[in-house]
Amino acid sequence: MPPPWPPPLPPRPAGPPLALLLPALLGLAGPAQSFEPISLGIAIGAASALTGYLSYPDFYCRFVECCRDERPLNATALKSDLEDKLFGQHLAKEVIHKALTGFRNNKNPKKPLTLSLHGWAGTGKNFVSQIVAENLHSKGLKSSFVHLFVSTLHFPHEQQTKLYQDQLRKWIRGNVSTCASSVFIFDEMDKLHPGLIDAIKPFLDYYEQIDGVSYRNAIFIFLSNAGGDLITKVALDFWKSGKKREEIQLKDLEPVLSVGVFNNKHSGLWHSGLIDRNLIDYFVPFLPLEYRHVKMCVRAEMKSRGYGVDEEIVSRVADEMTFFPKDEKIYSDKGCKTVQTRLDFH
């Protein structure tokens, strides 16, 4: 039996009074030191002066990560991140930007935002979840309010499904109680045991509260390779008919994806109540990447390492990738997944 998860996090304490926190921050006293009357007086005076200009939460949250549910989403920054870092995914960029902006601008959402990202490996699903996390919480994936679950790591044994369901419910409840705008990311949904994810169905539904906890401001993101073949077929049909991939619209793929994933026994959403009850807000398709997109990935990786872009190396790395279908060789079979390691070699 796998070890139990950590217990749900308790509500975050309010923290020490500002007058006691400030001396330590100013270096007037260490953890085990007593305060000199004069030093303590100075600290209290400084605290009193500061509170006229800076509210306690603002001050405290400069040193400790706080859940700022009222923190507005910088839609411009999100759009810029998607444009600069995600290649060949016009649909994903549009859907993610509009869905996230609309959700965070809604003062009274009726349900949590639930996104299901689909496509082959290396097309950018994990990258997008990272971008979303960084734009919602300053520490991104390292934030105490962003939770990543990997199916093969956290839910490896099918015979333990009931245990996992109970742990998952407690974990989500505890963390949403701590931070209403918590983000939950489920990777490798195509390897998740069927039925397990239905344990959280009530949290994704249109309930104002469940046992005194509201889940309406939380965000759930599912990442899956399931549906990748359906997406590739649509993209290939567009290519064969002489249409640009940018002409593919969400309506061309979303209905096909929802039905295909629901009926796919190798999907964690197989016959799931999340689909049956229309609780997934968007099925987001990630298109297979072409040669030109792989070159964009190589350039971006070189820039992120502080190198100048050498087009000869860019072409060399892209040429080493393998492409499909066998005859046309249009799409990279690994997307941009091995770009970093191949660039290390060169």
Side-chain angles (χ1 to χ4, degrees):
M1 180 179 294
W5 286 3
L9 295 174
R12 181 171 292 276
L18 183 57
L20 296 181
L21 178 65
L22 194 61
L25 296 175
L26 296 177
L28 299 176
Q33 292 176 297
S34 60
F35 297 125
E36 293 290 337
I38 295 177
S39 298
L40 182 59
I42 293 173
I44 293 174
S48 300
L50 275 173
T51 51
Y53 302 95
L54 190 66
S55 68
Y56 173 76
D58 287 335
F59 183 81
Y60 180 67
C61 294
R62 291 193 177 192
F63 303 95
V64 177
E65 186 186 18
C66 295
C67 176
R68 308 301 293 268
D69 291 324
E70 75 282 0
R71 179 187 176 207
L73 174 69
N74 188 331
T76 302
L78 173 62
K79 186 174 184 179
S80 178
D81 280 347
L82 292 170
E83 289 292 339
D84 296 342
K85 301 174 182 178
L86 186 65
F87 307 116
Q89 305 298 351
H90 68 285
L91 289 175
K93 288 179 183 179
E94 181 181 16
V95 175
I96 297 296
H97 180 258
K98 289 184 176 180
L100 216 59
T101 303
F103 180 73
R104 288 304 296 266
N105 288 340
N106 186 351
K107 300 296 183 183
N108 187 30
K110 301 301 180 185
K111 66 178 292 296
L113 177 64
T114 307
L115 307 172
S116 192
L117 316 186
H118 297 266
W120 292 129
T123 52
K125 302 185 298 299
N126 289 89
F127 202 33
V128 162
S129 65
Q130 178 183 331
I131 291 173
V132 169
E134 290 171 349
N135 278 271
L136 291 174
H137 296 284
S138 58
K139 290 189 176 182
L141 292 175
K142 296 180 180 178
S143 170
S144 300
F145 313 119
V146 177
H147 310 277
L148 173 64
F149 302 96
V150 181
S151 296
T152 51
L153 176 64
H154 295 99
F155 316 109
H157 308 293
E158 187 170 6
Q159 64 271 26
Q160 299 292 341
T161 294
K162 293 296 182 184
L163 174 63
Y164 297 148
Q165 289 179 324
D166 185 54
Q167 290 174 332
L168 190 54
R169 282 189 291 260
K170 289 178 180 178
W171 183 258
I172 291 175
R173 174 182 168 78
N175 283 285
V176 173
S177 298
T178 302
C179 179
S181 58
S182 292
V183 180
F184 300 93
I185 303 169
F186 294 81
D187 195 9
E188 298 184 346
M189 281 292 293
D190 48 303
K191 297 178 178 66
L192 190 69
H193 306 302
L196 196 159
I197 201 64
D198 278 3
I200 68 170
K201 183 168 70 69
F203 304 149
L204 275 57
D205 215 326
Y206 292 82
Y207 296 118
E208 187 170 347
Q209 287 187 348
I210 300 176
D211 294 333
V213 179
S214 173
Y215 298 87
R216 291 183 169 190
N217 289 298
I219 295 176
F220 294 82
I221 303 175
F222 305 131
L223 314 181
S224 178
N225 289 349
D229 53 342
L230 301 173
I231 296 169
T232 297
K233 182 181 183 306
V234 171
L236 195 57
D237 287 345
F238 267 70
W239 180 84
K240 288 179 177 178
S241 62
K243 298 178 181 178
K244 296 180 180 179
R245 65 189 281 129
E246 289 76 18
E247 294 181 48
I248 301 174
Q249 299 180 38
L250 189 61
K251 65 181 182 180
D252 298 318
L253 280 166
E254 196 171 34
V256 177
L257 266 181
S258 61
V259 174
V261 172
F262 183 80
N263 292 316
N264 186 346
K265 289 186 178 182
H266 300 290
S267 164
L269 293 170
W270 179 62
H271 287 186
S272 172
L274 274 60
I275 298 178
D276 201 32
R277 290 289 302 276
N278 297 311
L279 299 180
I280 295 178
D281 299 298
Y282 297 96
F283 289 87
V284 186
F286 281 69
L287 302 172
L289 298 181
E290 300 174 6
Y291 180 82
R292 58 190 171 109
H293 302 128
V294 174
K295 295 181 76 172
M296 291 178 184
C297 292
V298 179
R299 294 187 190 103
E301 179 64 20
M302 294 182 78
K303 289 178 182 177
S304 72
R305 298 185 185 192
Y307 303 149
V309 175
D310 185 326
E311 288 298 331
E312 182 180 346
I313 293 179
V314 170
S315 297
R316 210 181 300 164
V317 172
D319 289 342
E320 289 182 358
M321 308 293 274
T322 53
F323 294 81
F324 73 97
K326 184 178 180 179
D327 295 329
E328 293 88 348
K329 294 185 178 180
I330 308 167
Y331 305 120
S332 169
D333 60 0
K334 294 184 181 68
C336 286
K337 203 171 186 68
T338 60
V339 161
Q340 292 184 355
T341 54
R342 290 180 182 275
L343 191 58
D344 288 339
F345 178 81
H346 289 286

